[in-house]
Amino acid sequence: MSQRPGYLIRRLHQIHVALFQDACGAFEVTPLQYSLLSALAVRETADQTTLAADIALDRTTTTGALKRLAARNLVERAVNKDDRRARLCRLTPAGAALLVKIEDAARRAHRATLGDLSEKEQALFIEMMQRIVAGNPSRDSSAALFD
């Protein structure tokens, strides 16, 4: 199993989630929720479909995570006046403040995930992962991902 990419990728994900939880657990934010908060910080306002695409998740999972963030007053979800079926999302002041507070801890988790690699190896590993992702833009099993 230790030679199979799928197994190693799944284990690496499990390790990263555990490291993220260790570093960021006090903030009660999952890696997926952190990705959504970060995407909203960049976009300022976005509909749920755009946010789902930004973080490579299905719309249903994204909507559920956004509802949980809204219940904590970290995100606002307003009906789009131009398309009543869509919701426009943005960070609340509390969400923006939380993102500032969690940023250092999240960076520590990301560094810890790659901590057994030299700086050169880290850069190469990131580059290789980016190539795999870029080479498979339509390969998505995001429906199997959960918050």
Side-chain angles (χ1 to χ4, degrees), residues 63-79:
T63 298
L66 286 166
K67 284 179 180 179
R68 286 185 284 288
L69 290 169
R72 292 181 56 196
N73 192 36
L74 300 173
V75 170
E76 290 179 357
R77 297 172 60 242
V79 173

Side-chain angles (χ1 to χ4, degrees), residues 90-111:
R90 68 182 181 97
L91 289 177
T92 63
L98 177 64
L99 193 55
V100 169
K101 288 179 193 172
I102 196 174
E103 198 62 42
D104 285 341
R107 282 194 184 118
R108 277 195 311 277
H110 292 150
R111 282 193 305 272

Side-chain angles (χ1 to χ4, degrees), residues 63-134:
T63 298
L66 286 166
K67 284 179 180 179
R68 286 185 284 288
L69 290 169
R72 292 181 56 196
N73 192 36
L74 300 173
V75 170
E76 290 179 357
R77 297 172 60 242
V79 173
N80 184 343
K81 63 182 169 78
D82 297 327
D83 179 358
R84 308 253 339 133
R85 298 168 296 163
R87 297 256 180 178
L88 291 177
C89 302
R90 68 182 181 97
L91 289 177
T92 63
L98 177 64
L99 193 55
V100 169
K101 288 179 193 172
I102 196 174
E103 198 62 42
D104 285 341
R107 282 194 184 118
R108 277 195 311 277
H110 292 150
R111 282 193 305 272
T113 299
L114 302 178
D116 290 330
L117 303 177
S118 70
E119 285 187 34
K120 185 177 178 180
E121 289 170 327
Q122 289 178 24
L124 180 59
F125 185 64
I126 297 284
E127 179 188 330
M128 291 187 311
M129 288 189 296
Q130 288 171 330
R131 281 191 359 225
I132 292 168
V133 169

